Amino acid sequence: MWQGSGKFFIQLASVLLCAFEVAATARRLVVSPTTTFDVRSYGACADGITDNSQAFLGAWNAACSSSGDVMLFIPAGTYFLNPVKFTGPCSNVNTLTFYLKGKLKASTDLRLYDKGDEWIQFGHVKGLTLTGGGTFDGQGSAAWAYNQCPTKKYCHILPVSVKFMSLNDTIVYGIKSVNPKFFHFAVLGCQNFRASKMYMKAPEDSPNTDGIHITRSSGVVIHDSIIKTGDDCVSIGQNTTNVFISEITCGPGHGISIGSLGKYPDEGDVRDILIRDCYMSNTTNGVRIKTWQNSPSSSSVTNITYENIQMSNVGNPIIIDQTYCPDNLCDRDDRKVPSRVSISDVRYKAINGTSASPVAVTLNCSPGIPCQNINLENIQLNYVGGEPSTAFCAFARTRFSGPMLPLPCN
């Protein structure tokens, strides 16, 4: 049964948490660190050509080995940067502000990247703030032709622009990212990660350029940002809990997705996700949950809320797809075995606008583990083609309430 009061409490707590964190962010950003480390003092050159990775590492190491509240400062200008990892722990540092005012430009030589993993990594630090209004330029157009993931289920992954790894109490504020080789940002194994006022852009046809990918993390807030890219604006991966996404302007792109899930063994569950007050325009999907068939192990998606989402010319505005298999990457045996990812307690409320596809609501669940307690309330999605929009349901236990367009399906 749907635990209405419990769900409301979780949503209210999330909203209050976000309000508190926005206030805390504002306070923290105006604090002047006691010590500033300017990358120019360590040999950095803003000519857009010279590799500055060692100069940046020198400044980082000095800041990390300092104490109190410290700042690493990158002034205006264009700084060329080979792959670099900014890692801790910074044992005596209370807060470390990475103040990026300039533009960082990535190397296009794929041989320099360690297993194609990432261009820049922030890892194993507590109290990191990334701010300053600067830009990460992944120069992805030189690498997209080498992306094999659209044609191979298990592919060699190109470098992520910025990976946040095993961080605690992190703030990202007012940062831009353009043209990554793969994801713009990846949040991996982080606790209490807050990001807002971001701007991300890549061409609509750039492959796998997710805006923000979150996995194995908890306590994540993504707020008030603009994402225009070639894949999911935000994607939520396995073993992720307590995520609040709000006021995201998404498009072009593939919408906001949970998944894909069920591709690898021993994936963790996804639960307690609140997505609200977002606007999507000309995206291939709206709000989506996607899982692979023939999952190697069982996992679950539960307690998911989508509320007050505006759609404009969006394909598949509401979609659960438990037969996810992009570009026919699955063999016949895969297609014979249902997904082992269970989906339950999903609520869609006040989702309005226009659908680019005649089927505005698709609930295509697993025949092996049908979806449970899928609730749709006050849905108004008009098909741009003029005919009434429709809904498709398979193996989904649903409940509809309030005004509904398309009409409910069983």
Side-chain angles (χ1 to χ4, degrees), residues 268-335:
D269 299 336
V270 175
R271 58 180 172 81
D272 302 334
I273 311 295
L274 173 59
I275 300 169
R276 62 177 300 172
D277 305 330
C278 296
Y279 174 71
M280 301 187 189
S281 176
N282 299 303
T283 53
T284 59
N285 300 283
V287 289
R288 175 169 59 159
I289 301 173
K290 50 182 176 176
T291 76
W292 291 79
Q293 294 172 293
N294 196 16
S295 315
S297 56
S298 298
S299 61
S300 68
V301 176
T302 189
N303 193 17
I304 313 297
T305 297
Y306 304 97
E307 184 173 357
N308 191 29
I309 312 294
Q310 299 297 314
M311 308 277 186
S312 178
N313 195 41
V314 169
N316 306 310
I318 295 174
I319 179 169
I320 295 176
D321 181 6
Q322 294 210 259
T323 60
Y324 178 73
C325 183
D327 298 302
N328 297 313
L329 299 183
C330 303
D331 57 32
R332 290 183 179 180
D333 290 336
D334 287 332
R335 295 181 184 279

Side-chain angles (χ1 to χ4, degrees), residues 78-358:
T78 299
Y79 300 82
F80 181 83
L81 210 61
N82 282 328
V84 62
K85 295 184 179 182
F86 301 112
T87 59
C90 304
S91 303
N92 298 315
V93 170
N94 296 326
T95 62
L96 197 164
T97 299
F98 193 99
Y99 196 96
L100 174 61
K101 191 173 182 181
K103 174 191 284 188
L104 304 187
K105 190 168 71 171
S107 170
T108 58
D109 187 352
L110 295 178
R111 296 171 298 179
L112 298 176
Y113 293 87
D114 182 18
K115 298 180 181 178
D117 204 14
E118 70 268 331
W119 169 33
I120 293 172
Q121 181 191 118
F122 295 97
H124 308 282
V125 179
K126 183 177 181 180
L128 173 71
T129 295
L130 171 60
T131 189
T135 301
F136 294 93
D137 181 359
Q139 296 208 95
S141 60
W144 294 329
Y146 299 99
N147 188 334
Q148 300 176 336
C149 294
T151 58
K152 290 186 178 181
K153 184 175 181 179
Y154 301 102
C155 58
H156 177 75
I157 294 175
L158 292 176
V160 172
S161 273
V162 183
K163 179 180 285 186
F164 303 92
M165 189 169 187
S166 301
L167 302 179
N168 288 290
D169 300 330
T170 305
I171 291 173
V172 178
Y173 182 88
I175 290 295
K176 305 178 187 70
S177 172
V178 298
N179 298 330
K181 296 174 178 66
F182 206 67
F183 300 161
H184 290 262
F185 288 177
V187 179
L188 174 63
C190 294
Q191 308 295 318
N192 300 325
F193 181 98
R194 289 93 76 195
S196 59
K197 299 291 184 182
M198 296 179 296
Y199 179 82
M200 298 177 167
K201 186 175 182 180
E204 185 175 1
D205 60 352
S206 56
N208 299 109
T209 53
D210 292 34
I212 305 164
H213 179 70
I214 306 162
T215 188
R216 303 209 301 268
S217 297
S218 180
V220 177
V221 176
I222 309 295
H223 175 70
D224 191 14
S225 297
I226 298 171
I227 304 174
K228 306 176 179 182
T229 196
D231 210 296
D232 296 325
C233 292
V234 181
S235 57
I236 298 171
Q238 59 104 1
N239 197 20
T240 298
T241 62
N242 298 312
V243 175
F244 180 35
I245 298 170
S246 65
E247 297 184 34
I248 302 300
T249 298
C250 170
H254 293 183
I256 296 176
S257 293
I258 294 174
S260 60
L261 303 173
K263 185 176 181 180
Y264 300 104
D266 303 318
E267 292 186 357
D269 299 336
V270 175
R271 58 180 172 81
D272 302 334
I273 311 295
L274 173 59
I275 300 169
R276 62 177 300 172
D277 305 330
C278 296
Y279 174 71
M280 301 187 189
S281 176
N282 299 303
T283 53
T284 59
N285 300 283
V287 289
R288 175 169 59 159
I289 301 173
K290 50 182 176 176
T291 76
W292 291 79
Q293 294 172 293
N294 196 16
S295 315
S297 56
S298 298
S299 61
S300 68
V301 176
T302 189
N303 193 17
I304 313 297
T305 297
Y306 304 97
E307 184 173 357
N308 191 29
I309 312 294
Q310 299 297 314
M311 308 277 186
S312 178
N313 195 41
V314 169
N316 306 310
I318 295 174
I319 179 169
I320 295 176
D321 181 6
Q322 294 210 259
T323 60
Y324 178 73
C325 183
D327 298 302
N328 297 313
L329 299 183
C330 303
D331 57 32
R332 290 183 179 180
D333 290 336
D334 287 332
R335 295 181 184 279
K336 292 178 182 178
V337 182
S339 176
R340 296 184 181 94
V341 180
S342 66
I343 298 175
S344 63
D345 297 340
V346 182
R347 186 186 189 200
Y348 303 92
K349 181 180 180 181
I351 299 180
N352 304 305
T354 56
S355 173
S357 50

